[in-house]
Amino acid sequence: MSGELDIIDEIIRKRGLASRIFANREVLHPDYVPDTLPHREEEIRKLANILIVSAQGERPSNVLLYGLTGTGKTVVTKYVVKRIVEKASSIGRNLGYAYVNTRKIDTPYKVMASIASSVGLRVPYTGLAISEVYRKYVNALESWGGLHIVILDEIDHFVKRKGDDILYKLLRINEDLVKSKVAIIGITNNLYFVEHLDPRVRSSLGEEEMYFPPYNAEQLYTILKQRAEKAFHPGVVDDAVISYCAALAAREHGDARRALDLLRVAGEIAERESAQVVSVEHVKKALVEIEEGRIHQSIISLPLQQKLVLKVAVELASKKGYTTTGEVYSSYVEEARKRGLEPLSMRSVSQILSQLDMMGLILAEVKSLGKHGLTKIIRVKDDVINVVKKVLADV
Ligand code: ADP
Ligand code: MG
């Protein structure tokens, strides 16, 4: 016990309790909604123009927002809806909203329960039929008599899992309502989803559609600069560091979340190192840390057999720089037997290798062996090797 306290004391002695780096770390949190959203004026104006009628109690069109991750869809929607709800309440209108991220709230029941709870209902997280929750929600809306805006974020997860039945019901809920109304805002990061949406759903969900383009490096710079001024103490982060984060994020696809993550993690690393300022070197370290975190996440969520195939492939490839499907297979069979696992077929292992390739964990290249057929040459990048050795040591 006293040993642990000494460590805490030592950290406090070294860093002090107040951060020398961050003035307000919250500002870099992904859920923080800033006062202004540079480079999204047009999108804010368009969404506000669609939704403004709701401040007078009229049902606005349903809206479908789509675009790649980190293009500001969630933050713009929250910003506009919150402002309009505030306006409505200042003139005594009944306007409310529900925000549900259907990737995080991950069953249709919980989604329905979460929507219902935003009109003040207390719904148990299990135990009722979903149709019963729906009915309670309808009744609550009717006795409230207002307009409810339901924001379904990352809606592709909702539709993918359970077909569109609950979504379809929500889209037609106004047929069950007399004194109240519901408008739906759907948001997705998945462009493929939009193209392949059931035409019935698309026509009612997408009464209005808005596409959010990626940011370029200059735009990311302005966004980061504005956040950095609030998040860090003066003089801690200079423009070169901000430009560097913006350039790295623009190189991917103009993802503002990525840019903010880089800056936040760079700040945390600077803090851990008791540095006075955040440097480009800290951003480089942040890039590695974030990348390793991503690799880590994708590895720990693999099923056991996949983990074993990956582990074997990495061990073989790290010895001589590359390996082949055949080598992986024979070594895998041996290792599976040692662990009392029934080995999968060559075909299944080959499929697993293709999946690992698609996930970016290995690099597989098909090579012809002349009349002996085809094989895959498998290589593994150093960062993956490092993470696999740590994460799969016990597999
Ligand atoms: P999406 O929903 O499109 O994936 P988000 O709205 O979550 O993207 O934005 C990702 C992060 O970037 C959030 O932290 C958000 O606050 C920030 N962000 C995005 N666009 C802007 C902008 N124009 N100005 C300031 N911050 C922004
Ligand atoms: Mg989002």
Side-chain angles (χ1 to χ4, degrees), residues 170-228:
L170 281 172
L171 286 169
R172 300 174 51 152
I173 193 170
N174 290 301
E175 294 171 10
D176 291 335
L177 301 172
V178 180
K179 299 188 193 110
S180 55
K181 297 179 187 111
V182 168
I184 312 254
I185 301 179
I187 306 177
T188 178
N189 299 329
N190 185 337
L191 307 186
Y192 182 85
F193 164 81
V194 176
E195 275 172 45
H196 294 267
L197 199 56
D198 177 335
R200 288 174 314 168
V201 175
R202 183 160 184 182
S203 67
S204 48
L205 177 60
E207 288 173 343
E208 295 277 355
E209 292 189 0
M210 289 179 61
Y211 170 68
F212 281 57
Y215 296 112
N216 62 32
E218 260 170 75
Q219 294 172 327
L220 290 173
Y221 176 87
T222 341
I223 292 169
L224 283 184
K225 175 94 178 157
Q226 179 209 43
R227 298 281 271 264

Side-chain angles (χ1 to χ4, degrees), residues 68-75 99 101 153-154 187-189 257:
L68 295 174
T69 50
T71 51
K73 301 177 298 297
T74 300
V75 76
Y99 172 86
N101 183 316
D153 203 350
E154 308 206 37
I187 306 177
T188 178
N189 299 329
R257 175 189 314 265

Side-chain angles (χ1 to χ4, degrees), residues 30-304:
D31 292 340
Y32 175 84
V33 180
D35 299 334
T36 57
L37 299 166
H39 306 295
R40 280 297 176 248
E41 290 82 6
E42 223 178 280
E43 286 76 10
I44 290 171
R45 185 163 289 123
K46 179 161 179 203
L47 187 60
N49 266 315
I50 297 168
L51 298 181
I52 200 76
V53 295
S54 59
Q56 286 295 349
E58 225 178 284
R59 185 184 85 81
S61 301
N62 294 333
V63 195
L64 177 61
L65 284 75
Y66 63 102
L68 295 174
T69 50
T71 51
K73 301 177 298 297
T74 300
V75 76
V76 163
T77 305
K78 283 185 174 169
Y79 177 88
V80 171
V81 170
K82 274 186 190 156
R83 297 288 299 276
I84 292 180
V85 167
E86 279 164 22
K87 264 277 167 302
S89 93
S90 75
I91 56 169
R93 290 278 173 189
N94 273 350
L95 176 63
Y97 76 98
Y99 172 86
V100 190
N101 183 316
T102 68
R103 178 171 56 81
K104 296 179 186 159
I105 308 275
D106 62 354
T107 67
Y109 181 89
K110 285 185 190 159
V111 170
M112 204 53 242
S114 168
I115 295 170
S117 71
S118 70
V119 287
L121 281 172
R122 291 172 56 98
V123 185
Y125 252 39
T126 51
L128 299 182
I130 194 162
S131 56
E132 216 172 317
V133 184
Y134 174 84
R135 198 150 9 85
K136 279 175 184 287
Y137 173 54
V138 166
N139 291 340
L141 285 172
E142 287 290 84
S143 52
W144 173 60
L147 175 74
H148 203 216
I149 298 179
V150 175
I151 306 167
L152 297 172
D153 203 350
E154 308 206 37
I155 193 172
D156 43 313
H157 291 264
F158 192 41
V159 175
K160 207 161 55 192
R161 254 190 326 264
K162 289 290 169 206
D164 1 315
D165 33 335
I166 265 292
L167 177 61
Y168 201 60
K169 221 166 151 60
L170 281 172
L171 286 169
R172 300 174 51 152
I173 193 170
N174 290 301
E175 294 171 10
D176 291 335
L177 301 172
V178 180
K179 299 188 193 110
S180 55
K181 297 179 187 111
V182 168
I184 312 254
I185 301 179
I187 306 177
T188 178
N189 299 329
N190 185 337
L191 307 186
Y192 182 85
F193 164 81
V194 176
E195 275 172 45
H196 294 267
L197 199 56
D198 177 335
R200 288 174 314 168
V201 175
R202 183 160 184 182
S203 67
S204 48
L205 177 60
E207 288 173 343
E208 295 277 355
E209 292 189 0
M210 289 179 61
Y211 170 68
F212 281 57
Y215 296 112
N216 62 32
E218 260 170 75
Q219 294 172 327
L220 290 173
Y221 176 87
T222 341
I223 292 169
L224 283 184
K225 175 94 178 157
Q226 179 209 43
R227 298 281 271 264
E229 276 165 4
K230 286 197 176 162
F232 294 98
H233 288 302
V236 166
V237 174
D238 69 20
D239 286 353
V241 168
I242 294 179
S243 297
Y244 189 63
C245 292
L248 285 177
R251 213 167 60 188
E252 279 200 10
H253 71 243
D255 179 339
R257 175 189 314 265
R258 182 113 172 104
L260 283 162
D261 280 349
L262 276 167
L263 193 58
R264 192 195 72 243
V265 176
E268 283 164 2
I269 293 171
E271 198 169 47
R272 283 204 301 264
E273 293 181 355
S274 309
Q276 305 288 331
V277 296
V278 181
S279 68
V280 166
E281 284 312 308
H282 292 132
V283 180
K284 287 183 181 159
K285 286 184 187 165
L287 189 63
V288 173
E289 211 173 282
I290 291 171
E291 187 53 32
E292 288 200 350
R294 270 200 218 172
I295 297 169
H296 185 109
Q297 274 309 316
S298 54
I299 293 174
I300 56 173
S301 56
L302 289 172
L304 182 60

